[in-house]
Amino acid sequence: MAEQIVIALILGLVEGLTEFIPVSSTGHLVLVQQFLPAGSFLSPKSMGTFDVLIQLGAIFAVLLVYFRRLVEIVKTLPRSARTQHFVLAVLFSFLPAAIIGALAHDFIKNVLFETPSLICVVLILGGFVLLAVDKIKLQPKVHDAQDFSWPMAIGVGFFQCLAMIPGTSRSGSTIVGALLLGADKRSAAEFSFFLAMPTMAGAFALDLWKSRHDLSMDDGLLIMVGFVTAFISALFVVRTLLDFVSRRGFAPFGWWRIIVGVLGLALLLPIR
């Protein structure tokens, strides 16, 4: 049981720390599970429940951090044209991934997620993209997430679809897309947070529905450990990320992706 609790802590920590930074939480989870003794960790049914609920922990973290902003949005929505514009922009941005994700869900889960070497290659390529974007002298026109135009928001939404390739990173693709479309670093990261709410909630609901017959709470303690760990670690990331990227940019995440991708490939070669 002690070993299982440690594995639950590790997986919850990985989910929470990587969900909202541009390094691919799913890619990291797949690689970590590849090298941990996860085969004896949980039963297949409980593992499905574990994966779904640690993602819910990360969702709760971003909802908690932005709770006051969300309440303010709800209060001003009926009378504020700016708030109405922002809510529609987030919804328009969410639609491309919602449609494509629903149509391609089984292929993504059963084919792309089962290829760890592909994840490593995509991590490396995405790392070089982050390094390149960080060096480009962009001239941002938008400095507040609420000022994204509808075409800009829809463009970010299509960038988000790239994250269906495991290893790409949902936050990475949306942040890079927003930067290239004219946002500054802080507003790009913040819009990515807001877009994460419907996107992750939708993905969670779809996963929950697809796996509804396989869910089990037989290993409730381990599932709860993973959930709480994901929630706490994601809470830390969401509260600190905006200030970090404003000061340091995205190059540290680019180098991290490259290092993890190279190490992953090196460790996978003996396995293959």
Side-chain angles (χ1 to χ4, degrees), residues 68-171:
R68 290 185 180 178
R69 289 280 298 276
L70 292 172
V71 170
E72 186 65 24
I73 286 171
V74 171
K75 289 169 59 177
T76 60
L77 185 60
R79 62 181 185 274
S80 170
R82 187 169 185 248
T83 301
Q84 293 165 5
H85 168 85
F86 176 61
V87 171
L88 285 175
V90 172
L91 292 178
F92 280 136
S93 192
F94 163 67
L95 283 178
I99 295 170
I100 297 174
L103 293 175
H105 178 271
D106 291 341
F107 174 76
I108 294 168
K109 285 287 186 180
N110 299 327
V111 178
L112 296 182
F113 275 45
E114 297 298 324
T115 314
S117 56
L118 170 65
I119 292 172
C120 292
V121 171
V122 175
L123 281 171
I124 295 168
L125 294 176
F128 284 116
V129 169
L130 281 179
L131 292 177
V133 169
D134 211 50
K135 287 185 176 295
I136 297 174
K137 299 299 182 183
L138 298 170
Q139 300 297 323
K141 298 171 289 185
V142 178
H143 303 277
D144 191 311
Q146 291 196 338
D147 294 330
F148 278 42
S149 66
W150 290 355
M152 186 176 177
I154 294 172
V156 173
F158 279 106
F159 269 96
Q160 180 171 239
C161 294
L162 296 173
M164 294 177 191
I165 303 171
T168 303
S169 170
R170 187 208 61 80
S171 59

Side-chain angles (χ1 to χ4, degrees), residues 14-56:
V14 170
E15 165 64 24
L17 291 178
T18 59
E19 182 61 56
F20 299 107
I21 62 176
V23 299
S24 177
S25 62
T26 53
H28 277 67
L29 282 172
V30 170
L31 291 178
V32 168
Q33 292 182 46
Q34 187 77 19
F35 301 112
L36 285 176
S40 59
F41 171 47
L42 291 172
S43 66
K45 286 186 177 182
S46 294
M47 196 65 209
T49 307
F50 182 88
D51 289 341
V52 168
L53 288 184
I54 62 171
Q55 185 184 47
L56 183 62

